[in-house]
Amino acid sequence: MSILAAKRANLASQDEMFEQEQAEIIAGLQARQKWVSPKYFYDQRGSELFDEICNLPEYYPTRTERSIMEQALPEIASRVGPGAAVIEFGAGSNVKARQLLAGLDSPAAYVPVEISGEYLQEQAVELSAEFPDLSIKPVVADFTKPFDLPRHARMPVRNLVFFPGSTIGNFSRTDAGKLLEVMKAEARRGGALLIGVDLVKEPDVIRAAYNDSRGVTAAFNLNVLSHLNKALDADFRPDLFRHEAVYDRSHRRIEMRLVATATHTVSIADQVIEFDRDEFIITEYSHKYSVDDLGGKIKNKKFLLDHFNMSFNNDVPLVGIVSRMVAQKGFDIFAQAVNELMNLNVKWIVLGSGDDHYEALFRSLAHKLPEKVGVYIGYNNELAHLIEAGSDMFLMPSLYEPCGLNQIYSLKYGTVPIVKKTGGLADTVHDWDELMNFKLQNGTGFSFEHHSGQALLHTIRRAVNRFEDKDTWEKIQQNGMNKNYSWQHSAEQYVELYKLTKTKRG
Ligand code: AVI
């Protein structure tokens, strides 16, 4: 919220908030690299300019998101199911919420969360006329911190956190992670998240979106100065600044700047800020994301190893196991080859419980080789996902496995599965080397047929060899991450097959 909006909002802590924001702005302008938070874009004029930006031909995110929503709404509705409570983080205009609510199956509630209460109330009134059966309960809160959710007369079946508009891109990657934590907590158990994220694309396309030919983005950026002048009695001269938006490829983000065109000073509160010619204020980052970006993998691996008090080395592969510890899951062949396996330059993290002798085996390995083996005896869903996300390889040497879900989670996390070629494992994991024999680079993991310690050992060795070639490894990870094993996909294939058989039968 802008400072002017804060002044308008009749908050008890208004003065305190004003002081805090003023201090934050001054500190930003006194920093070595001057910066101002992008929240100061949005005074009355800034919000109007932003609406204009959303309709510019060069600004692709708004229309792209709109068309994705139009296309995907039936699928979203079927995945979310009936009776959901939509919790919108940072509810701006309610156009998007209206579209979502109209497409969902009898939603129970709508909870827009925004720091400016006044605007929220107006919107709630507008929406309640359109959705008379919906419980609309705005929450006035800073959504970057946990907040209390209201109760509703009809208990929602699940919470759906809604954060459209690629606004997540305006947070640093660390803060975006923290925000996702808040969303996770507010979604509660069984909840869901629908988020708009702008993807990396050709730099020229991105640059044009933030340097439009009509100069609307420039006006939007420069308007920050007028906003600060009004709010803080500053004396910025917008004519002594120009707009610049550069795309930083390595950080995959747009950096919006206000560049001083002459050396001059600005007074703000009782401070004087000096500007050299060409010195700039960063007003916004707009981070772009990519499904191909595996940068988070290293963080996950570090976090996981740290959790087990094991040291991190990105060159040493980490193998994860999440399983019942019984022979059917392949613990028998693991035990057969355990000495050779422990001699490999590999770390292991194992979660599960089962037969006493397998539990005892892993306890003793962790005790003897604490740097090599981490063990959790029992079940813990969060830790299971952490293992699937943070390991480099995921081992499932089951004797038989009708379906198997963990290998599918692993594929999505960019964790390469090593599996016994059986049942659902054979259907979902395709051996890299086997396919390479046919010059096909579309393998997603490693598999073996013979249920023996030797076959297991040989396959892990193959995986470790491939791991050393980073490009090949990344290709295997990408192949797996791009696989779609959702029900939607299977259902569509089933429908296609049904149609085909119908036409064949005449
Ligand atoms: C609000 N946010 C997602 C916009 C963006 O693209 O980062 C803000 C914006 N800045 C310049 N143009 C639009």
Side-chain angles (χ1 to χ4, degrees):
M1 179 174 59
S2 71
I3 302 183
L4 289 183
K7 276 182 168 177
R8 275 202 314 269
N10 196 16
L11 301 174
S13 56
Q14 184 182 301
D15 287 346
E16 213 177 281
M17 192 165 162
F18 181 80
E19 303 266 301
Q20 254 181 28
E21 295 211 0
Q22 176 172 281
E24 179 196 274
I25 292 166
I26 291 173
L29 291 170
Q30 286 173 335
R32 240 160 68 109
Q33 171 55 67
K34 296 181 166 57
W35 64 276
V36 171
S37 163
K39 63 187 170 190
Y40 302 113
F41 282 142
Y42 303 97
D43 62 351
Q44 177 73 30
R45 176 81 189 123
S47 302
E48 285 164 13
L49 286 166
F50 182 64
D51 287 345
E52 244 184 89
I53 289 177
C54 293
N55 290 317
L56 288 169
E58 294 100 328
Y59 193 72
Y60 59 83
T62 314
R63 63 169 183 279
T64 309
E65 186 178 72
R66 196 183 307 129
S67 81
I68 293 174
M69 275 291 273
E70 274 162 19
Q71 275 175 34
L73 204 47
E75 188 186 340
I76 293 169
S78 81
R79 287 195 186 205
V80 171
V86 174
I87 302 161
E88 185 170 4
F89 273 49
S93 90
N94 54 27
V95 179
K96 292 171 188 172
R98 186 181 280 137
Q99 185 189 16
L100 176 64
L101 291 164
L104 288 181
D105 182 356
S106 47
Y110 174 53
V111 182
V113 187
E114 182 58 81
I115 203 157
S116 160
E118 191 188 27
Y119 189 51
L120 268 184
Q121 280 309 335
E122 281 168 24
Q123 294 206 323
V125 172
E126 250 181 66
L127 269 182
S128 58
E130 232 173 288
F131 299 93
D133 298 334
L134 195 69
S135 162
I136 303 179
K137 296 211 170 158
V139 170
V140 179
D142 170 359
F143 64 74
T144 61
K145 305 194 175 80
F147 52 87
D148 290 333
L149 283 175
R151 288 181 175 280
H152 307 279
R154 174 157 69 110
M155 174 89 161
V157 178
R158 72 191 313 195
N159 288 341
L160 171 66
V161 170
F162 183 44
F163 195 45
S166 324
T167 308
I168 191 93
N170 300 132
F171 288 75
S172 71
R173 296 203 196 264
T174 310
D175 288 346
K178 289 183 190 155
L179 183 58
L180 288 173
E181 284 292 330
V182 176
M183 290 178 176
K184 179 181 161 198
E186 301 297 343
R188 309 260 165 89
R189 222 183 148 77
L193 169 64
L194 180 59
I195 186 167
V197 179
D198 190 18
L199 298 181
V200 170
K201 46 189 68 62
E202 272 304 302
D204 281 350
V205 175
I206 302 180
R207 274 186 215 111
Y210 294 83
N211 290 287
D212 64 278
S213 53
R214 283 180 40 209
V216 184
T217 312
F220 172 71
N221 197 7
L222 285 158
N223 179 61
V224 167
L225 303 176
S226 313
H227 183 193
L228 296 183
N229 282 349
K230 276 184 262 165
L232 299 178
D233 292 328
D235 62 358
F236 279 103
R237 281 186 51 191
D239 60 320
L240 290 184
F241 289 88
R242 67 179 164 81
H243 159 77
E244 190 173 86
V246 290
Y247 183 60
D248 177 344
R249 265 174 187 260
S250 63
H251 288 97
R252 299 177 176 198
R253 68 185 181 200
I254 275 282
E255 191 172 303
M256 293 254 289
R257 302 170 176 172
L258 286 169
V259 187
T261 53
T263 300
H264 68 289
T265 58
V266 171
S267 310
I268 184 162
D270 54 354
Q271 303 290 317
V272 174
I273 314 286
E274 292 181 359
F275 283 90
D276 285 336
R277 192 177 164 193
D278 293 332
E279 192 180 357
F280 58 85
I281 311 172
I282 295 177
T283 49
E284 182 183 62
Y285 288 124
S286 193
H287 293 87
K288 309 300 166 193
Y289 284 83
S290 164
V291 277
D292 299 337
D293 179 6
L294 288 160
K297 189 82 194 155
I298 292 181
K299 272 195 200 165
N300 289 340
K301 183 173 172 181
K302 272 190 188 145
F303 188 85
L304 176 61
L305 285 164
D306 203 46
H307 186 87
F308 282 89
N309 287 321
M310 292 160 76
S311 62
F312 169 81
N313 180 345
N314 207 31
D315 294 330
V316 178
L318 173 61
V319 183
I321 302 177
V322 174
S323 177
R324 259 184 316 117
M325 294 181 169
V326 293
Q328 180 250 314
K329 295 289 182 187
F331 281 77
D332 53 347
I333 57 174
F334 190 97
Q336 274 171 25
V338 69
N339 292 337
E340 292 96 323
L341 289 170
M342 289 305 122
N343 282 333
L344 297 174
N345 189 21
V346 162
K347 294 191 187 227
W348 305 83
I349 287 186
V350 186
L351 175 148
S353 61
D355 291 352
D356 290 348
H357 53 287
Y358 294 131
E359 288 187 8
L361 170 69
F362 281 102
R363 275 203 187 95
S364 88
L365 289 174
H367 182 71
K368 275 194 258 166
L369 307 164
E371 259 302 321
K372 208 173 181 60
V373 183
V375 174
Y376 179 96
I377 302 290
Y379 190 68
N380 176 327
N381 189 43
E382 199 169 333
L383 190 54
H385 278 274
L386 197 59
I387 295 174
E388 277 144 10
S391 304
D392 297 299
M393 303 168 189
F394 192 80
L395 182 61
M396 290 180 80
S398 309
L399 178 61
Y400 57 89
E401 194 69 68
C403 175
L405 278 179
N406 285 326
Q407 84 281 10
I408 295 177
Y409 297 147
S410 300
L411 287 169
K412 277 286 164 225
Y413 284 123
T415 301
V416 175
I418 301 173
V419 302
K420 170 84 186 303
K421 210 171 186 179
T422 179
L425 299 176
D427 292 342
T428 51
V429 179
H430 305 119
D431 191 281
W432 171 263
D433 292 318
E434 193 181 312
L435 289 167
M436 277 298 279
N437 290 338
F438 301 98
K439 306 240 173 325
L440 293 171
Q441 299 200 355
N442 52 0
T444 54
F446 297 87
S447 56
F448 58 97
E449 285 186 45
H450 190 233
H451 194 75
S452 70
Q454 277 314 305
L456 169 68
L457 180 64
H458 174 70
T459 311
I460 293 178
R461 280 202 181 116
R462 277 201 292 126
V464 172
N465 283 341
R466 295 290 168 233
F467 180 80
E468 282 164 15
D469 171 359
K470 292 290 171 224
D471 289 342
T472 300
W473 193 255
E474 204 174 308
K475 177 82 184 128
I476 304 172
Q477 288 177 298
Q478 302 287 5
N479 289 347
M481 288 166 84
N482 286 325
K483 286 279 171 205
N484 181 355
Y485 291 116
S486 71
W487 279 116
Q488 185 72 25
H489 186 65
S490 310
E492 277 165 12
Q493 282 186 325
Y494 186 81
V495 169
E496 283 309 310
L497 191 66
Y498 177 74
K499 282 185 190 155
L500 192 75
T501 42
K502 254 181 95 175
T503 47
K504 288 241 155 121
R505 290 180 103 198

